[in-house]
Coordinates of all heavy atoms in Angstrom, one line a residue:
M44 N -64.8 -159.6 10.3 CA -64.7 -159.0 9.0 C -63.4 -158.4 8.8 O -62.8 -157.7 9.7 CB -65.8 -158.0 8.8 CG -65.8 -157.2 7.6 SD -67.1 -156.0 7.5 CE -67.4 -155.8 5.8
S45 N -62.8 -158.7 7.7 CA -61.4 -158.2 7.4 C -61.5 -156.8 6.7 O -62.5 -156.5 6.0 CB -60.7 -159.1 6.4 OG -60.5 -160.3 7.1
K46 N -60.5 -156.0 6.9 CA -60.4 -154.7 6.3 C -59.2 -154.7 5.4 O -58.1 -155.2 5.8 CB -60.3 -153.5 7.3 CG -61.6 -153.4 8.2 CD -62.6 -152.6 7.4 CE -63.8 -152.4 8.4 NZ -64.9 -151.7 7.7
R47 N -59.2 -153.9 4.3 CA -58.1 -153.8 3.5 C -57.3 -152.6 3.9 O -58.0 -151.5 4.1 CB -58.5 -153.8 2.0 CG -57.3 -153.6 1.0 CD -57.9 -153.6 -0.4 NE -58.3 -154.9 -0.8 CZ -57.6 -155.9 -1.3 NH1 -56.3 -155.6 -1.5 NH2 -58.2 -157.0 -1.7
L48 N -56.0 -152.6 3.8 CA -55.2 -151.4 4.1 C -54.2 -151.3 2.9 O -53.6 -152.2 2.5 CB -54.3 -151.7 5.4 CG -53.3 -150.6 5.7 CD1 -53.9 -149.3 6.0 CD2 -52.4 -151.1 6.9
Q49 N -54.2 -150.1 2.4 CA -53.2 -149.8 1.3 C -52.1 -148.9 1.8 O -52.5 -147.8 2.3 CB -54.0 -149.2 0.1 CG -53.1 -149.0 -1.1 CD -53.9 -148.4 -2.3 OE1 -55.1 -148.4 -2.4 NE2 -53.1 -148.1 -3.3
V50 N -50.9 -149.2 1.5 CA -49.8 -148.4 2.0 C -48.9 -148.2 0.8 O -48.5 -149.1 0.1 CB -49.0 -149.2 3.1 CG1 -47.8 -148.2 3.5 CG2 -49.9 -149.4 4.3
L51 N -48.6 -146.9 0.5 CA -47.8 -146.6 -0.6 C -46.3 -146.4 -0.2 O -46.0 -145.8 0.8 CB -48.2 -145.3 -1.3 CG -49.6 -145.3 -1.8 CD1 -50.0 -143.9 -2.4 CD2 -49.7 -146.3 -3.0
M52 N -45.4 -147.1 -0.8 CA -44.0 -147.1 -0.5 C -43.1 -146.8 -1.7 O -43.5 -147.1 -2.8 CB -43.7 -148.5 0.2 CG -44.5 -148.9 1.3 SD -44.0 -150.6 1.9 CE -42.5 -150.2 2.8
E53 N -41.9 -146.3 -1.4 CA -40.9 -146.1 -2.4 C -40.5 -147.6 -2.8 O -40.5 -148.5 -2.0 CB -39.7 -145.3 -1.8 CG -40.1 -143.9 -1.5 CD -40.3 -143.0 -2.6 OE1 -39.7 -143.3 -3.7 OE2 -41.1 -142.0 -2.4
E54 N -40.0 -147.7 -4.1 CA -39.6 -148.9 -4.5 C -38.4 -149.6 -3.7 O -38.5 -150.8 -3.3 CB -39.0 -148.9 -6.0 CG -40.1 -148.6 -7.0 CD -39.5 -148.6 -8.4 OE1 -38.6 -149.3 -8.7 OE2 -40.1 -147.9 -9.2
G55 N -37.5 -148.8 -3.2 CA -36.5 -149.3 -2.3 C -36.9 -149.8 -1.0 O -36.5 -150.8 -0.5
E56 N -37.9 -149.1 -0.4 CA -38.5 -149.5 0.8 C -39.2 -150.8 0.7 O -39.1 -151.8 1.5 CB -39.6 -148.5 1.3 CG -38.9 -147.2 1.8 CD -40.0 -146.2 2.2 OE1 -41.0 -146.1 1.6 OE2 -39.8 -145.6 3.3
Y57 N -40.0 -150.9 -0.5 CA -40.7 -152.2 -0.7 C -39.7 -153.3 -1.0 O -40.0 -154.5 -0.5 CB -41.7 -152.1 -1.9 CG -42.6 -153.3 -2.1 CD1 -43.7 -153.4 -1.1 CD2 -42.3 -154.3 -3.0 CE1 -44.4 -154.6 -1.3 CE2 -43.1 -155.3 -3.1 CZ -44.2 -155.5 -2.3 OH -45.0 -156.6 -2.4
A58 N -38.6 -153.1 -1.6 CA -37.7 -154.2 -1.9 C -37.1 -154.6 -0.6 O -36.9 -155.9 -0.3 CB -36.5 -153.6 -2.8
R59 N -36.8 -153.7 0.4 CA -36.3 -154.1 1.7 C -37.3 -154.9 2.5 O -37.0 -155.9 3.2 CB -35.9 -152.9 2.5 CG -34.6 -152.3 2.0 CD -34.3 -150.9 2.8 NE -34.3 -151.1 4.2 CZ -34.6 -150.1 5.0 NH1 -34.9 -148.9 4.5 NH2 -34.7 -150.2 6.3
L60 N -38.6 -154.5 2.3 CA -39.7 -155.2 3.0 C -39.8 -156.7 2.5 O -40.0 -157.6 3.2 CB -41.0 -154.4 2.7 CG -42.3 -155.1 3.4 CD1 -42.2 -155.1 4.9 CD2 -43.4 -154.2 3.0
Q61 N -39.7 -156.8 1.1 CA -39.8 -158.1 0.5 C -38.7 -158.9 1.0 O -38.8 -160.1 1.3 CB -39.7 -158.0 -1.0 CG -40.9 -157.6 -1.7 CD -40.8 -157.5 -3.2 OE1 -39.8 -156.9 -3.8 NE2 -41.6 -158.2 -4.0
K62 N -37.4 -158.4 1.0 CA -36.3 -159.2 1.5 C -36.5 -159.6 2.9 O -36.1 -160.8 3.3 CB -35.0 -158.3 1.4 CG -33.7 -159.0 1.6 CD -32.5 -158.1 1.3 CE -31.3 -158.8 1.5 NZ -30.1 -158.0 1.3
A63 N -37.0 -158.7 3.8 CA -37.2 -159.1 5.2 C -38.2 -160.2 5.3 O -38.0 -161.2 6.0 CB -37.6 -157.9 6.0
A64 N -39.2 -160.1 4.5 CA -40.3 -161.2 4.6 C -39.7 -162.5 4.1 O -40.0 -163.6 4.7 CB -41.5 -160.8 3.7
Q65 N -38.9 -162.5 3.0 CA -38.3 -163.7 2.5 C -37.4 -164.4 3.4 O -37.3 -165.6 3.5 CB -37.6 -163.4 1.1 CG -38.5 -163.1 -0.1 CD -37.7 -162.6 -1.3 OE1 -36.6 -162.3 -1.2 NE2 -38.5 -162.5 -2.4
S66 N -36.7 -163.5 4.2 CA -35.7 -164.0 5.1 C -36.4 -164.8 6.3 O -35.8 -165.7 6.9 CB -34.8 -162.9 5.7 OG -35.6 -162.2 6.6
E67 N -37.7 -164.6 6.4 CA -38.4 -165.3 7.5 C -39.5 -166.3 6.8 O -40.3 -166.8 7.5 CB -39.2 -164.2 8.3 CG -38.2 -163.3 8.9 CD -38.5 -162.9 10.4 OE1 -39.4 -163.5 11.0 OE2 -37.8 -161.9 10.8
H68 N -39.3 -166.5 5.5 CA -40.1 -167.4 4.8 C -41.6 -167.1 4.9 O -42.4 -168.0 5.2 CB -39.8 -168.8 5.2 CG -38.4 -169.1 5.1 ND1 -37.7 -169.4 3.9 CD2 -37.5 -169.4 6.1 CE1 -36.5 -169.7 4.2 NE2 -36.3 -169.7 5.4
L69 N -42.0 -165.7 4.8 CA -43.3 -165.2 4.9 C -43.7 -164.4 3.7 O -42.8 -163.9 3.1 CB -43.4 -164.3 6.1 CG -43.3 -165.0 7.5 CD1 -43.2 -163.9 8.6 CD2 -44.4 -166.0 7.7
A70 N -44.9 -164.4 3.4 CA -45.4 -163.5 2.4 C -45.4 -162.1 2.9 O -45.4 -161.9 4.2 CB -46.9 -163.9 2.0
V71 N -45.3 -161.2 2.1 CA -45.1 -159.7 2.5 C -46.3 -159.3 3.3 O -46.2 -158.7 4.4 CB -45.0 -158.8 1.2 CG1 -45.1 -157.3 1.6 CG2 -43.7 -159.1 0.5
G72 N -47.5 -159.7 2.9 CA -48.7 -159.4 3.7 C -48.7 -160.0 5.1 O -49.0 -159.2 6.1
E73 N -48.3 -161.2 5.3 CA -48.2 -161.9 6.6 C -47.1 -161.2 7.4 O -47.3 -160.9 8.6 CB -48.1 -163.3 6.4 CG -48.0 -164.0 7.8 CD -49.3 -163.7 8.6 OE1 -50.4 -163.6 8.1 OE2 -49.1 -163.7 9.9
F74 N -46.0 -160.9 6.8 CA -44.9 -160.2 7.5 C -45.4 -158.8 8.0 O -45.2 -158.5 9.2 CB -43.7 -160.0 6.5 CG -42.5 -159.4 7.2 CD1 -41.7 -160.1 7.9 CD2 -42.3 -158.0 7.0 CE1 -40.5 -159.5 8.6 CE2 -41.2 -157.4 7.7 CZ -40.3 -158.2 8.4
V75 N -46.0 -158.1 7.2 CA -46.6 -156.8 7.6 C -47.6 -156.9 8.7 O -47.5 -156.2 9.7 CB -47.2 -156.0 6.4 CG1 -47.9 -154.7 6.8 CG2 -46.0 -155.7 5.5
R76 N -48.5 -157.8 8.6 CA -49.5 -158.0 9.6 C -48.9 -158.4 11.0 O -49.2 -157.9 12.0 CB -50.5 -159.1 9.3 CG -51.5 -158.7 8.3 CD -52.7 -159.7 8.0 NE -52.1 -160.9 7.3 CZ -51.9 -161.0 6.0 NH1 -52.4 -160.0 5.2 NH2 -51.5 -162.1 5.5
R77 N -47.8 -159.3 10.9 CA -47.1 -159.7 12.2 C -46.4 -158.5 12.8 O -46.5 -158.4 14.0 CB -46.2 -160.8 11.8 CG -45.5 -161.4 13.1 CD -44.4 -162.3 12.8 NE -43.3 -161.6 12.2 CZ -42.2 -162.1 11.8 NH1 -42.0 -163.5 11.7 NH2 -41.2 -161.4 11.3
E78 N -45.8 -157.7 12.0 CA -45.0 -156.5 12.6 C -46.0 -155.5 13.1 O -45.7 -154.9 14.1 CB -44.1 -156.0 11.5 CG -42.9 -156.9 11.1 CD -42.1 -157.4 12.2 OE1 -41.8 -156.6 13.1 OE2 -41.9 -158.7 12.4
L79 N -47.1 -155.4 12.4 CA -48.1 -154.4 13.0 C -48.7 -154.9 14.3 O -48.8 -154.1 15.3 CB -49.2 -154.2 11.9 CG -48.9 -153.3 10.7 CD1 -50.0 -153.3 9.6 CD2 -48.5 -152.0 11.1
R80 N -48.9 -156.1 14.4 CA -49.4 -156.7 15.6 C -48.4 -156.6 16.8 O -48.7 -156.1 17.9 CB -49.7 -158.2 15.5 CG -50.9 -158.5 14.7 CD -51.3 -160.1 14.8 NE -52.1 -160.3 13.7 CZ -51.8 -161.0 12.6 NH1 -50.6 -161.5 12.4 NH2 -52.7 -161.3 11.6
R81 N -47.1 -156.8 16.5 CA -46.0 -156.6 17.4 C -45.9 -155.2 17.9 O -45.8 -154.9 19.1 CB -44.6 -156.9 16.8 CG -44.4 -158.4 16.8 CD -43.0 -158.7 16.3 NE -42.8 -160.1 16.1 CZ -41.7 -160.6 15.5 NH1 -40.7 -159.8 15.2 NH2 -41.5 -161.9 15.4
S82 N -46.1 -154.3 16.9 CA -45.9 -152.8 17.3 C -47.1 -152.4 18.2 O -46.9 -151.6 19.2 CB -45.9 -152.0 15.9 OG -45.9 -150.7 16.2
C83 N -48.3 -152.8 17.8 CA -49.5 -152.5 18.7 C -49.4 -153.1 20.0 O -49.7 -152.5 21.0 CB -50.8 -152.9 17.9 SG -51.2 -151.9 16.5
A84 N -48.9 -154.3 20.1 CA -48.8 -155.0 21.4 C -47.8 -154.3 22.2 O -48.0 -154.1 23.5 CB -48.3 -156.5 21.2
A85 N -46.7 -153.8 21.6 CA -45.7 -153.0 22.4 C -46.2 -151.7 23.0 O -46.0 -151.3 24.1 CB -44.4 -152.7 21.5
L86 N -47.1 -151.1 22.2 CA -47.7 -149.9 22.6 C -48.7 -150.2 23.7 O -48.8 -149.4 24.7 CB -48.5 -149.2 21.5 CG -47.7 -148.5 20.4 CD1 -48.5 -148.1 19.2 CD2 -46.8 -147.3 20.9
D87 N -49.5 -151.3 23.6 CA -50.4 -151.6 24.6 C -49.7 -152.1 25.9 O -50.4 -152.0 27.0 CB -51.3 -152.8 24.1 CG -52.3 -152.3 23.0 OD1 -52.5 -151.1 22.8 OD2 -52.8 -153.2 22.3
A88 N -48.5 -152.6 25.8 CA -47.9 -153.1 27.0 C -47.6 -152.1 28.0 O -47.5 -152.3 29.2 CB -46.7 -153.9 26.6
G89 N -47.2 -150.9 27.6 CA -47.0 -149.8 28.5 C -45.5 -149.8 28.9 O -44.7 -150.8 28.6
P90 N -45.0 -148.8 29.6 CA -43.6 -148.5 30.0 C -43.2 -149.6 31.0 O -42.0 -150.0 30.9 CB -43.7 -147.2 30.5 CG -45.1 -146.8 30.8 CD -45.9 -147.7 29.9
A91 N -44.0 -150.1 31.9 CA -43.5 -151.1 32.8 C -43.0 -152.4 32.1 O -42.0 -152.9 32.4 CB -44.5 -151.4 33.9
D92 N -43.8 -152.9 31.2 CA -43.5 -154.1 30.4 C -42.3 -153.9 29.6 O -41.4 -154.8 29.5 CB -44.6 -154.5 29.5 CG -45.8 -155.2 30.3 OD1 -45.5 -155.6 31.4 OD2 -46.9 -155.3 29.7
A93 N -42.1 -152.7 29.0 CA -40.9 -152.4 28.2 C -39.7 -152.4 29.1 O -38.6 -153.0 28.7 CB -41.0 -151.1 27.5
K94 N -39.7 -151.8 30.3 CA -38.6 -151.9 31.2 C -38.3 -153.2 31.6 O -37.1 -153.7 31.7 CB -39.0 -151.0 32.4 CG -38.9 -149.6 32.1 CD -39.3 -148.7 33.3 CE -39.4 -147.2 33.0 NZ -39.8 -146.4 34.1
L95 N -39.3 -154.1 31.9 CA -39.0 -155.4 32.3 C -38.4 -156.3 31.2 O -37.5 -157.0 31.4 CB -40.3 -156.2 32.7 CG -40.9 -155.7 34.1 CD1 -42.2 -156.3 34.4 CD2 -39.9 -156.0 35.2
R96 N -38.8 -156.1 29.9 CA -38.2 -156.7 28.8 C -36.7 -156.3 28.7 O -35.9 -157.1 28.4 CB -39.0 -156.5 27.5 CG -40.3 -157.3 27.3 CD -40.8 -157.2 25.9 NE -41.1 -155.9 25.5 CZ -42.1 -155.1 25.7 NH1 -43.1 -155.6 26.4 NH2 -42.2 -153.9 25.2
A97 N -36.5 -155.1 28.8 CA -35.2 -154.5 28.7 C -34.3 -155.2 29.9 O -33.1 -155.6 29.6 CB -35.2 -153.0 28.7
L98 N -34.8 -155.2 31.0 CA -34.1 -155.8 32.1 C -33.8 -157.3 32.0 O -32.6 -157.7 32.1 CB -34.9 -155.5 33.4 CG -34.2 -156.1 34.7 CD1 -32.9 -155.6 35.0 CD2 -35.1 -156.0 35.9
N99 N -34.8 -158.0 31.4 CA -34.6 -159.4 31.2 C -33.6 -159.6 30.1 O -32.7 -160.6 30.2 CB -35.9 -160.1 30.8 CG -36.8 -160.3 32.0 OD1 -36.3 -160.5 33.0 ND2 -38.1 -160.3 31.8
K100 N -33.5 -158.7 29.0 CA -32.6 -158.9 28.0 C -31.2 -158.5 28.5 O -30.2 -159.2 28.2 CB -32.9 -157.9 26.9 CG -32.0 -158.0 25.7 CD -32.5 -157.1 24.6 CE -31.7 -157.2 23.3 NZ -32.0 -156.4 22.2
A101 N -31.1 -157.6 29.4 CA -29.7 -157.2 30.0 C -29.2 -158.3 30.9 O -28.0 -158.6 30.9 CB -29.9 -155.9 30.8
L102 N -30.1 -159.0 31.6 CA -29.7 -160.1 32.5 C -29.2 -161.3 31.8 O -28.6 -162.1 32.3 CB -30.9 -160.5 33.4 CG -31.2 -159.5 34.4 CD1 -32.5 -159.9 35.2 CD2 -30.1 -159.3 35.4
Q103 N -29.4 -161.4 30.4 CA -28.9 -162.5 29.7 C -27.4 -162.3 29.4 O -26.8 -163.3 29.0 CB -29.7 -162.6 28.3 CG -31.1 -163.0 28.5 CD -31.9 -162.9 27.2 OE1 -31.3 -162.6 26.2 NE2 -33.2 -163.2 27.2
H104 N -26.8 -161.2 29.6 CA -25.4 -160.9 29.3 C -24.6 -161.3 30.6 O -25.2 -161.3 31.7 CB -25.1 -159.5 29.0 CG -25.9 -159.0 27.8 ND1 -25.4 -159.4 26.5 CD2 -27.0 -158.3 27.6 CE1 -26.2 -158.9 25.6 NE2 -27.2 -158.3 26.3
D105 N -23.3 -161.6 30.4 CA -22.5 -162.0 31.5 C -21.3 -161.1 31.5 O -20.1 -161.5 31.1 CB -22.1 -163.4 31.4 CG -21.3 -163.9 32.7 OD1 -21.5 -163.3 33.8 OD2 -20.6 -164.9 32.6
F106 N -21.4 -159.8 31.9 CA -20.3 -158.9 32.0 C -19.5 -159.0 33.3 O -20.1 -159.2 34.3 CB -20.8 -157.4 31.7 CG -21.5 -157.2 30.4 CD1 -22.8 -156.9 30.5 CD2 -20.8 -157.3 29.3 CE1 -23.5 -156.6 29.2 CE2 -21.5 -157.1 28.1 CZ -22.8 -156.7 28.1
P107 N -18.3 -158.8 33.2 CA -17.5 -158.8 34.4 C -17.7 -157.7 35.4 O -18.2 -156.6 34.9 CB -16.0 -158.7 33.9 CG -16.1 -158.0 32.6 CD -17.5 -158.4 32.0
S108 N -17.8 -158.0 36.7 CA -18.1 -157.0 37.6 C -17.3 -157.3 38.9 O -17.0 -158.5 39.2 CB -19.6 -156.9 37.9 OG -19.9 -156.0 38.8
A109 N -17.1 -156.3 39.8 CA -16.5 -156.6 41.1 C -17.6 -156.5 42.1 O -18.7 -156.1 41.9 CB -15.4 -155.5 41.3
D110 N -17.1 -156.9 43.3 CA -18.0 -156.8 44.4 C -18.2 -155.2 44.7 O -17.4 -154.4 44.4 CB -17.3 -157.4 45.7 CG -18.0 -157.1 46.9 OD1 -19.0 -157.8 47.1 OD2 -17.5 -156.2 47.8
I111 N -19.5 -154.9 45.1 CA -19.9 -153.5 45.3 C -18.9 -152.8 46.2 O -18.6 -151.6 46.0 CB -21.3 -153.4 45.8 CG1 -21.8 -151.9 45.7 CG2 -21.6 -154.0 47.0 CD1 -21.8 -151.3 44.4
S112 N -18.5 -153.4 47.3 CA -17.6 -152.8 48.2 C -16.2 -152.4 47.5 O -15.7 -151.4 47.7 CB -17.3 -153.7 49.4 OG -18.5 -153.9 50.2
Q113 N -15.7 -153.4 46.7 CA -14.5 -153.1 46.0 C -14.7 -152.0 45.0 O -13.8 -151.1 44.9 CB -14.1 -154.4 45.2 CG -12.8 -154.2 44.5 CD -12.5 -155.5 43.6 OE1 -13.0 -156.5 43.9 NE2 -11.5 -155.3 42.7
M114 N -15.8 -152.0 44.3 CA -16.1 -150.9 43.3 C -16.1 -149.5 44.0 O -15.5 -148.6 43.6 CB -17.4 -151.1 42.5 CG -17.2 -152.3 41.5 SD -18.6 -152.3 40.4 CE -19.9 -152.9 41.4
N115 N -16.8 -149.5 45.2 CA -16.9 -148.2 45.9 C -15.5 -147.7 46.4 O -15.2 -146.6 46.4 CB -17.8 -148.3 47.1 CG -19.3 -148.3 46.7 OD1 -19.6 -147.8 45.6 ND2 -20.1 -149.0 47.5
E116 N -14.7 -148.7 46.8 CA -13.3 -148.3 47.3 C -12.5 -147.7 46.2 O -11.8 -146.8 46.3 CB -12.6 -149.6 47.9 CG -13.1 -150.0 49.3 CD -12.5 -151.3 49.7 OE1 -11.5 -151.7 49.2 OE2 -13.1 -151.9 50.6
E117 N -12.6 -148.4 44.9 CA -11.9 -147.9 43.8 C -12.3 -146.5 43.4 O -11.6 -145.7 43.0 CB -12.0 -148.9 42.6 CG -11.3 -150.2 42.9 CD -11.5 -151.3 41.9 OE1 -12.2 -151.1 40.9 OE2 -11.0 -152.4 42.0
I118 N -13.7 -146.3 43.4 CA -14.2 -145.0 43.1 C -13.6 -144.0 44.1 O -13.2 -142.9 43.7 CB -15.7 -145.0 43.1 CG1 -16.3 -145.9 41.9 CG2 -16.3 -143.6 43.1 CD1 -17.7 -146.2 42.0
E119 N -13.7 -144.2 45.3 CA -13.2 -143.3 46.3 C -11.7 -143.1 46.2 O -11.2 -141.9 46.3 CB -13.5 -143.8 47.7 CG -15.0 -143.8 48.1 CD -15.5 -142.4 48.3 OE1 -14.8 -141.4 48.6 OE2 -16.7 -142.3 47.8
A120 N -10.9 -144.1 45.8 CA -9.5 -143.9 45.5 C -9.3 -143.0 44.3 O -8.4 -142.1 44.4 CB -8.9 -145.3 45.3
G121 N -10.1 -143.1 43.4 CA -10.0 -142.2 42.2 C -10.3 -140.8 42.5 O -9.6 -139.9 42.0
Y122 N -11.3 -140.6 43.4 CA -11.6 -139.2 43.8 C -10.5 -138.6 44.7 O -10.1 -137.4 44.5 CB -12.8 -139.2 44.7 CG -14.2 -139.4 44.0 CD1 -15.2 -140.0 44.7 CD2 -14.3 -138.9 42.8 CE1 -16.4 -140.3 44.0 CE2 -15.6 -139.1 42.1 CZ -16.6 -139.8 42.7 OH -17.8 -139.9 42.1
R123 N -9.8 -139.4 45.5 CA -8.7 -138.9 46.2 C -7.4 -138.6 45.3 O -6.7 -137.6 45.6 CB -8.2 -140.0 47.3 CG -9.2 -140.1 48.5 CD -8.6 -140.9 49.6 NE -8.4 -142.4 49.1 CZ -9.4 -143.3 49.3 NH1 -10.6 -143.0 49.7 NH2 -9.2 -144.6 49.0
L124 N -7.4 -139.2 44.2 CA -6.3 -138.9 43.3 C -6.7 -137.8 42.3 O -5.8 -137.3 41.5 CB -6.0 -140.2 42.4 CG -5.3 -141.3 43.2 CD1 -5.2 -142.5 42.2 CD2 -4.0 -140.9 43.8
G125 N -7.9 -137.3 42.4 CA -8.4 -136.2 41.6 C -8.8 -136.7 40.2 O -8.7 -135.8 39.3
L126 N -9.0 -137.9 40.1 CA -9.6 -138.5 38.7 C -11.0 -138.1 38.5 O -11.8 -138.1 39.5 CB -9.3 -139.9 38.7 CG -7.9 -140.5 38.8 CD1 -7.8 -142.0 38.8 CD2 -7.0 -139.9 37.7
P127 N -11.4 -137.8 37.3 CA -12.8 -137.5 37.0 C -13.7 -138.7 37.2 O -13.4 -139.9 37.2 CB -12.8 -137.1 35.6 CG -11.5 -137.5 35.0 CD -10.5 -137.8 36.1

């Protein structure tokens, strides 16, 4: 059985919602249902899943880095020079 939900929004908010739905070629109702499902799923997933998603997202990047021994040496050298 379906339930009806009524949400009152300012005109500007609704216009942004319409634009977001159009950008994904969805009706406003389907866009809202999808986003509500995503939001509830994120709440149900718990903190461990959120951390894993963040980690997986971070691992997609390819930032430059040095060997850990080299980084530690550079940090120690900075301490010896009195750098913060």
Side-chain angles (χ1 to χ4, degrees):
M44 176 180 208
S45 296
K46 296 283 186 179
R47 178 179 292 272
L48 173 67
Q49 182 176 353
V50 179
L51 300 177
M52 303 179 77
E53 297 288 332
E54 286 184 35
E56 290 177 317
Y57 188 76
R59 286 178 47 212
L60 180 62
Q61 281 182 309
K62 188 174 181 179
Q65 287 172 351
S66 72
E67 304 215 12
H68 307 289
L69 294 172
V71 171
E73 183 54 35
F74 181 83
V75 170
R76 283 188 293 275
R77 185 187 71 183
E78 294 305 312
L79 288 172
R80 286 184 200 110
R81 282 184 186 173
S82 180
C83 289
L86 290 173
D87 292 342
D92 284 345
K94 289 178 184 177
L95 287 173
R96 281 194 306 276
L98 180 60
N99 284 331
K100 187 175 181 180
L102 290 172
Q103 293 174 1
H104 299 284
D105 188 24
F106 297 117
S108 181
D110 175 71
I111 188 66
S112 299
Q113 179 184 347
M114 286 192 292
N115 286 334
E116 288 174 19
E117 291 173 2
I118 291 168
E119 290 296 324
Y122 287 147
R123 287 190 294 275
L124 294 174
L126 299 175

